[in-house]
Amino acid sequence: QVQLVESGGGLVQAGGSLRLSCVRSGRTFSTYAMGWFRQAPGKEREWVTSISIDWIGTSTWYADSVKGRFTISRDIAKNTVYLQMNSLKPEDTAIYYCAVSSNSYARTMTSAYDYWGQGTQVTVSS
């Protein structure tokens, strides 16, 4: 089993920044992917960004809607993945979830991820 705990959400004005954290505990994988997803009220959960860790190294991918504004990173020693969100817009308002997949090729599909956190609310006011 893997446990994921997100934190760092909150209320911010448009143009502001937040940094989300996702602490992972439990079972470990030698190669894996971690992703951030978000779900706004009345909408489907959508992929935001992901980071893969395998024998080649680390790779990151971003949805077009956040490219250039959001950055995913990780701290190996703390078993933590971060999502730095800059230049926030009201349309970024959603519950943000982190997820982990034992498949380092996991990208945008929610079904590719094995474990999920409980989510953290991000609200961007205009």
Side-chain angles (χ1 to χ4, degrees), residues 58-101:
T58 301
S59 301
T60 57
W61 292 266
Y62 298 91
D64 288 343
S65 60
V66 306
K67 199 172 294 183
R69 300 188 298 122
F70 290 11
T71 303
I72 188 171
S73 63
R74 67 185 183 119
D75 185 323
I76 298 174
K78 295 182 179 180
N79 286 328
T80 300
V81 171
Y82 301 100
L83 180 61
Q84 177 67 44
M85 304 185 295
N86 299 327
S87 302
L88 282 162
K89 305 175 181 180
E91 51 263 43
D92 294 318
T93 295
I95 299 175
Y96 283 70
Y97 300 89
C98 71
V100 65
S101 171

